[in-house]
Amino acid sequence: MEPNSPKWVGSSCGLHGPYIFYKAFKFHRDSKPRILSLGDFFFVRCKPGDPICIAELQLLWEERTTKQLLSSSKLYFLPEDTPSGRTVGHGEHEVIAVSEKVIVRLEDLVKWTVPEFSEWSHGLRAAPLKPSVLRELGTNGHREALHRYRESTFTSGLNFRDIQRERSQLGEGSSFPVFQAVLFGC
């Protein structure tokens, strides 16, 4: 495996036949290490000239016999980037989910990632909570709710502590457009 090729983060989370399933992987983009985990939403461009869309990472696995590292993601496009285009029936911040999941090699998914998302001017921006706000939440009795929020992954009951620890060691945060969200109506 090459030094900059994607690598699994954390332990495997399941086995089935020739497949080993994982929760996250690490890669380098613009000479910086990055981590994507199950449930993350991030910006991708499938090929040059294509519109930027949102990908939701849903499954990660390795095929044991060929050593292929694979991923399954759901893609979300702006209505104007679909064949029927935007209509008056679309909401202002609406995205359209592609009905089929896209399965690609991790090395290809890494090439698709968009580290600079200034081209995406739709939707509402969410900013990370400032340390002062986090302290305020803790002192006002919301510490337990905040802890539950941090521990949630919007996926199954998998334990992501090892992934969170690795992310914090990298100092990963707002420098790469990775976010967790709940998309309604998809």
Side-chain angles (χ1 to χ4, degrees), residues 22-180:
Y22 292 87
K23 300 176 280 190
F25 71 100
K26 184 193 306 191
F27 64 99
H28 286 76
R29 181 71 190 225
D30 299 332
S31 302
K32 293 181 181 175
R34 308 291 185 201
I35 293 175
L36 287 176
S37 64
L38 298 178
D40 282 349
F41 289 76
F42 52 99
F43 294 108
V44 297
R45 183 184 316 258
C46 300
K47 63 182 180 183
D50 278 1
I52 292 177
C53 65
I54 298 170
E56 175 189 4
L57 190 58
Q58 295 189 326
L59 198 58
L60 293 167
W61 73 97
E62 180 175 342
E63 205 285 322
R64 284 193 264 195
T65 56
T66 63
K67 301 293 185 199
Q68 282 285 333
L69 309 185
L70 301 164
S71 69
S72 174
S73 298
K74 186 168 190 123
L75 299 180
Y76 301 87
F77 287 89
L78 291 170
E80 55 267 27
D81 295 328
T82 64
S84 4
R86 183 175 286 278
T87 66
V88 293
H90 289 116
E92 180 182 359
H93 304 297
E94 185 171 352
V95 293
I96 308 295
V98 175
S99 59
E100 298 293 320
K101 293 173 182 34
V102 61
I103 297 173
V104 295
R105 296 178 306 166
L106 281 188
E107 61 191 54
D108 294 330
L109 184 65
V110 166
K111 292 175 189 171
W112 287 9
T113 60
V114 177
E116 173 53 49
F117 60 101
S118 60
E119 292 178 50
W120 186 274
S121 58
H122 303 280
L124 304 172
R125 298 264 182 224
L129 294 176
K130 295 177 183 174
S132 60
V133 173
L134 291 173
R135 280 192 298 278
E136 168 103 12
L137 286 171
T139 58
N140 287 337
H142 301 318
R143 185 178 303 274
E144 185 179 326
L146 181 61
H147 179 72
R148 278 196 313 270
Y149 172 76
R150 284 182 174 158
E151 293 296 313
S152 74
T153 61
F154 303 114
T155 61
S156 67
L158 295 173
N159 183 337
F160 280 73
R161 286 191 185 107
D162 51 347
I163 311 304
Q164 292 168 339
R165 187 172 32 259
E166 182 89 16
R167 275 193 168 138
S168 65
Q169 289 171 355
L170 290 179
E172 195 173 89
S174 60
S175 62
F176 189 71
V178 174
F179 51 97
Q180 289 187 325

